[in-house]
Amino acid sequence: MSEKLVAFIFLFFTYGNFAEASAGGVNKGKAYWWTYPLAMGYVIFFRFKEKRKDRKVKAALIEMEKLEPEWSEASLLNMIQETFFKVQSAWGAKKLEDLKKLLHPTLYDVWSREIISMQRRNEKENWKDARIISMKIVDVRNHADGETDEFTVCIDASVRCVKYRNSQIVQDGRPSRRREYWTYEKISSIWVVREISQQSAQKRFVSSAVASYSKSV
């Protein structure tokens, strides 16, 4: 049974049950007992797909490193960690030239316009006390031409967001844990951040196929 079909069945019957309860039916306030194991089954199935994708990514990285040392998982994770903190620092200091070196032109265009707009409003946003909790490469795209290579890493981090207006603090939040998916693309032999997605993108990367010209995984 496909993942989409399981999700559809679960949502269909759960919605139907809630609708019946809302309408004041006999089973008001009660859920069909089998919707819970179905939901649990969906979660287990998704975790199975996630672990299977993790194994494929690791296997692909090992094979790719044999031909191209730059695909070393350890080296990539070191680069990711360094980039993560550089991006946080450059965003807080609003250093556009630094961001331009770290971001893909498309993402840089979006961020630079946002920074300029904030400056016009005399607003500023800093990410403080940034801490990486874990990192895991979840998707790879290795092509023969080398210039369209990309990979995505799942980053669990803790960050405190402080917002200013006219040099006055208007929001000083507590450190909060967040999960983001950073996609890197190689441009002229340099890895730059092309996209930063939130946790909602998890399903996309779990379901995508690994692409490697060196070996079919």
Side-chain angles (χ1 to χ4, degrees), residues 106-130:
T106 303
L107 184 58
Y108 172 76
D109 183 57
V110 175
W111 282 29
S112 61
R113 283 189 279 109
E114 186 173 350
I115 287 175
I116 292 172
S117 177
M118 292 174 66
Q119 289 174 332
R120 288 173 178 169
R121 300 193 304 268
N122 292 317
E123 295 177 350
K124 186 177 180 180
E125 180 180 282
N126 280 355
W127 296 332
K128 296 188 175 182
D129 304 328

Side-chain angles (χ1 to χ4, degrees), residues 13-54:
F13 284 104
T14 300
Y15 174 79
N17 176 63
F18 287 154
E20 181 179 350
S22 300
V26 177
N27 292 324
K28 183 177 181 179
K30 297 180 180 180
Y32 293 119
W33 65 269
W34 46 267
T35 60
Y36 297 105
L38 183 60
M40 184 60 67
Y42 173 74
V43 172
I44 293 173
F45 177 68
F46 185 81
R47 295 305 180 198
F48 167 77
K49 287 190 64 176
E50 185 177 31
K51 290 183 180 298
R52 183 176 61 181
K53 179 63 181 296
D54 289 344

